[in-house]
């Protein structure tokens, strides 16, 4: 379950990325993000669908051989390749080497002089190109899902993990990445 707490930290990073998506959607005069990429948009939808189906299948088969990590390594191997391609596409389309919206958010958080207990729950904004950071976060969350499933071994993925995995964490990051693509499509 230690991997589930990692999803909570990723959820804070996701909140920062969602704030970024809103900020990027309003940028019309200066291009702060890579242009809309239909192939990335389509692949993100496909990855979300495949992941949701996979997690549902694993929950249904929890405790059975079909739900064990060892029986499902092909899914993770396939996802690693697909996510590596998404990261590469984002890197190839890189517009800036940093993300202005997250820089502004970092300055605002620093100026807010929050107590350490509160500031620590917010997390830190990403430092690289916005799209690249978002795709790398997805890649890391899939590594976390794989590690979680591997740690559960023959038990598979328990039903209690569905919310943290798909409503928050990985699922929320996929939806945020799709929202960024939609915002770019509308503003092109």
């Amino acid at each position: 379950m230690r991997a589930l707490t990692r999803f909570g930290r990723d959820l804070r990073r996701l909140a920062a990325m969602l704030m970024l998506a809103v900020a990027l959607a309003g940028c019309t005069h200066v291009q702060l993000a890579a242009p809309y990429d239909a192939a990335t948009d389509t692949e993100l939808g496909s990855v979300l669908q495949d992941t949701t189906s996979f997690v549902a299948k694993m929950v249904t088969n929890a405790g059975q051989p079909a739900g064990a990590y060892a029986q499902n390594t092909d899914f993770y191997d396939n996802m690693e390749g697909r996510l590596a391609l998404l990261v590469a596409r984002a890197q190839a389309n890189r517009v800036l080497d940093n993300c202005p919206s997250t820089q502004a958010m970092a300055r605002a958080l620093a100026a807010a002089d929050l107590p350490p207990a509160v500031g620590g729950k917010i997390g830190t904004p990403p430092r690289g190109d916005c799209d690249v950071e978002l795709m790398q976060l997805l890649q890391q969350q899939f590594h976390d899902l794989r590690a979680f499933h591997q740690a559960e071994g023959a038990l598979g993925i328990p039903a209690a993990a569905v919310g943290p995995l798909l409503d928050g964490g990985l699922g929320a990051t996929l939806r945020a990445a799709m929202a960024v693509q939609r915002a770019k499509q509308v503003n092109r």
Side-chain angles (χ1 to χ4, degrees):
M1 286 303 202
R2 184 174 51 179
L4 286 178
T5 57
R6 201 169 177 168
F7 289 116
R9 186 184 71 237
D10 289 340
L11 192 56
R12 289 187 299 272
R13 285 186 79 190
L14 174 64
M17 295 307 292
L18 285 174
M19 289 172 58
L20 163 72
V22 171
L24 287 177
C27 298
T28 56
H29 299 310
V30 176
Q31 187 167 348
L32 297 177
Y36 171 73
D37 181 7
T40 294
D41 190 15
T42 300
E43 182 62 10
L44 286 167
S46 177
V47 167
L48 178 61
Q49 182 178 9
D50 292 349
T51 302
T52 302
S53 296
F54 175 75
V55 170
K57 179 179 153 189
M58 292 302 98
V59 168
T60 299
N61 292 315
Q64 300 172 28
Y69 169 77
Q71 300 297 317
N72 293 284
T73 57
D74 286 348
F75 170 79
Y76 294 106
D77 294 342
N78 178 292
M79 279 298 169
E80 281 186 26
R82 292 169 71 183
L83 291 167
L85 178 60
L86 285 170
V87 169
R89 289 185 71 82
Q91 289 170 334
N93 291 324
R94 184 179 307 198
V95 172
L96 299 175
D97 199 22
N98 59 44
C99 194
S101 299
T102 55
Q103 290 174 358
M105 188 175 75
R107 286 191 301 274
L109 289 174
D113 195 30
L114 298 171
V118 174
K121 292 181 180 179
I122 295 173
T124 56
R127 300 201 183 278
D129 180 84
C130 305
D131 288 344
V132 173
E133 288 291 329
L134 190 54
M135 296 308 159
Q136 287 174 335
L137 177 60
L138 279 174
Q139 199 173 36
Q140 181 58 53
Q141 288 175 327
F142 266 98
H143 288 294
D144 293 347
L145 172 61
R146 183 177 204 154
F148 174 70
H149 196 178
Q150 191 170 18
E152 293 294 306
L155 297 175
I157 297 177
V162 172
L165 291 172
L166 298 179
D167 296 336
L170 181 58
T173 303
L174 279 162
R175 287 187 299 279
M178 292 170 65
V180 168
Q181 288 300 314
R182 291 295 192 275
K184 289 179 191 182
Q185 183 181 31
V186 168
N187 288 318
R188 56 176 169 156

